[in-house]
Amino acid sequence: MESRGHSNPLLSFSTFIHQHCVRLATRLDDTKRALAQAHHNLLSPKHALAATATLGSHHVAKSLAGTSVYTVSNSNNEFVLISNADGAKSIGLLCFRQEDAEAFLAQVRSRRGELRGKARVVPITLDQVYMLKVEGIAFRFLPDPVQIKNALELKPANKGGFDGVPVFQSELLVVKKKNKRYCPVYFSKEDIEQELSKVSKASRGPGVSQHIAVGSLEDVLKKMEMSERSSGWEDLIFIPPGKSHSQHIKEINE
């Protein structure tokens, strides 16, 4: 997965679209077949030894379940990809805000007349995106600019911009349920602040921001992929925007 964070993501989005052309690629209907094949590959004997040593792609994908991003497809349910002028490289654009996907849709319609009235914004979950990436399909994330701003406020050293999709975590929110440890990771600073406000003041003190660590989704996923089992990285679980960790953990265990 490709991502490039900037202090003004909407400006970079507009510039990026104008510098690239759009075309059609993988049918969204094909994602299920790709996912099924990927899961089959991961369970095959040749992957068994690797699975015992490090976290497998299936485990990483499972931690992402429940969170949706938005892209554009045509009436045949095909992804609209962005490609260089020479067509040498094509990627899918995935937006964390639906309104940004709507802006992408407007650009697609203006550049591809035959798609006018036929293209639409569709959601796709991050676990599906991750498994498609495993199969070799490239994507570019467009983060929520509000969360980029929040991340820069928490990491003032990164004045030139934030590289990647911001994610937020706090050791105060690690929980244990049924002998399993969960370390929730949030896509929204507002969501993690809401969760921390429920923690006793005796544990967190007068404020909450000092207990929040920020990183990028891309870096976290890479570290999960390279980590061994029982290293602690397998405890990470990504919380969909607007949900509490208790609500999400309950849903995935039902």
Side-chain angles (χ1 to χ4, degrees), residues 42-57 59 227-229:
L42 289 168
L43 294 174
S44 65
K46 67 180 181 179
H47 288 276
L49 182 60
T52 60
T54 60
L55 298 180
S57 297
H59 182 99
S227 296
E228 296 182 355
R229 293 177 180 275

Side-chain angles (χ1 to χ4, degrees), residues 131-138:
M131 294 307 294
L132 289 173
K133 175 256 185 183
V134 169
E135 291 297 295
I137 299 175

Side-chain angles (χ1 to χ4, degrees), residues 53-56 59-60 62-63 180-185 220 223-238:
T54 60
L55 298 180
H59 182 99
V60 178
K62 187 178 179 181
S63 72
K180 181 170 174 55
R181 185 175 182 268
Y182 295 93
C183 181
V185 180
V220 171
K223 289 176 181 177
M224 290 180 72
E225 291 168 348
M226 295 185 296
S227 296
E228 296 182 355
R229 293 177 180 275
S230 301
S231 63
W233 286 95
E234 74 276 9
D235 299 332
L236 268 58
I237 180 172
F238 295 88

Side-chain angles (χ1 to χ4, degrees), residues 210-229:
Q210 69 267 29
H211 298 292
I212 301 175
V214 61
S216 76
L217 172 64
E218 295 82 356
D219 286 346
V220 171
L221 293 180
K222 286 179 182 177
K223 289 176 181 177
M224 290 180 72
E225 291 168 348
M226 295 185 296
S227 296
E228 296 182 355
R229 293 177 180 275

